[in-house]
Amino acid sequence: MKICFITSECEPFVKTGGLADVCGSLPFALTMLGCEVKIFLPFYDVIDTQKYGLKPVKGIEDVKVNIGEKIVNFSLFTCRLNDSYIDVFFIDCPEYFHRKKIYTNDKDEDERFILFQNAVLISLQNLKWIPEIIHCNDWQTALIPAYLKKNFYGEDMFQKTASVFSIHNIAYQGLFDKSSFEKTNFPAEDFQPMGPFELNDLFCFLKAGISYSDIVTTVSPTYAKEIQTKEYGAGLEGVLVSVEDKLFGILNGIHDEIWNPRTDNLIFMKYCESCFEKKVENKEELLKKTKLEFKKNTPLLGIVSRFAWQKGFELFEPIIKDLLLKNIQIIVLGEGESRYEKFFKKISEAYPEKIATFIEYNNKLAHQITAASDIFLMPSKYEPCGLNQMYSLKYGAVPIVRKTGGLADTVRDVDEYGETGNGFTFEDFNSRCFYNTLLRALDYYKDKEKWRKIVKVGMNEDFSWNKSARKYIEIYEKAFEKVK
Ligand code: ADP
Ligand code: GLC
């Protein structure tokens, strides 16, 4: 089966969050199961052309695309994904993709990804590569299912191509003024109140993806249910309920060559479940980078995250001082919304011997914190899947999470599940519940034998992509049935 993956970020080329991990690892698992996969990405200037050996694709240079009244040129570049047979294609359009950040609030944000999606379809035509499935991810790629269904590029080329649209986060919807619709080149009359492109009088990319794709997926079974409710649906719950029969939740996997303490070259000391005693050397070394003193029996609590509203960091504010009175240390790595950056910086300045904060994006440090921590914190308000709790489980850092989305599907509370529990969960989104759960975990930590058992269950979890990739193949087959 030929699968075309379209995404706005992909490891190792460019990453802001978990979407990049997924797009850089699921294609490998699919090729292992016999699929032919190609990936399309925008050619942002942060992508290291030399390192990855990007080369221009002959014959796809300075291709003109209409973006409403405007004519924009793009060219195509390509390279292989690591040592695989996966071709990665990059849509080069410096006018749009050479910016300070890969996602912007610039007034042409809509145009950037309209160009991207048009350019992908034009490139496929030029490459004469007709996939059975185009797998789109998030709003930046959500118009493609509509382009396909409306036979926009004609010539019947995509008649037997089905689209699968994956929602990694319902809160990012690609909402623009309705005047933006003209730039898509769809007929103006396609934009109708309550129609597939409209949400609250705005043009909504995400709604188009949900409406026109043959199958919609999201990244965990629990999130697939949650987004059909008012609390989690971000205004699209009604649309999602109406497509319930084509909506599936498939849990993300993890790339076990990249996130594996046995082989991880980024950490100070490799370890595994049967040589777990070596893990502590990671804590010792990491703490040297901070003002925190290494104390063997003081649990280190780790956080690695985008600082976004979704992640629930406001839960710390009312409890942080009480928490810091306990026998614990905290290490935080994150960047994003300034209120959270300021909060963690300030508290680290006030309690330098208890908490250290790194405000940056740093992949190596992310691995080192995961390896060093005894406990990993993810009190998310919502979490479509979440990868960090799976990484922490594999690294023997016991997760404390809010029971939502993918966190609910991967972390089992020891008080509820007994011997098969792998972490600690709380349901109500409030600081008191979070705090009580932290205290429960700290109590368990004091009993080394009990703790070791919890760690063991986590480290033995199977989060490899193989299982989920098989589910994607089933979904692809279902989608393909619809266009065959
Ligand atoms: P989300 O995609 O919502 O940010 P996920 O848990 O799915 O959440 O994935 C986050 C990914 O980004 C993980 O690979 C995590 O290690 C990485 N990450 C997040 N913040 C940072 C950071 N400040 N530095 C390095 N890596 C980070
Ligand atoms: C989104 C979600 C995260 C998920 C990731 C990959 O960024 O916030 O929960 O793990 O996408 O699917």
Side-chain angles (χ1 to χ4, degrees), residues 17-22 138 167-169 172 219 252 306 310-311 378 382-388 390:
L19 173 63
D21 301 48
V22 172
D138 280 351
I167 301 169
H168 295 262
N169 196 327
Y172 300 94
V219 289
N252 287 332
R306 283 187 300 119
Q310 125 188 30
K311 303 293 177 181
M378 268 178 100
Y382 72 92
E383 195 61 73
C385 178
L387 299 171
N388 285 109
M390 295 196 252

Side-chain angles (χ1 to χ4, degrees), residues 311-343:
K311 303 293 177 181
F313 292 122
E314 64 262 39
L315 292 189
F316 280 96
E317 292 194 36
I319 58 164
I320 191 76
K321 290 189 178 150
D322 287 341
L323 183 61
L324 291 174
L325 290 174
K326 307 282 170 206
N327 175 32
I328 59 149
Q329 292 172 320
I330 307 182
I331 192 154
V332 183
L333 168 63
E335 63 163 7
E337 287 180 36
S338 68
R339 57 182 163 152
Y340 303 122
E341 293 188 353
K342 279 188 199 139
F343 167 73

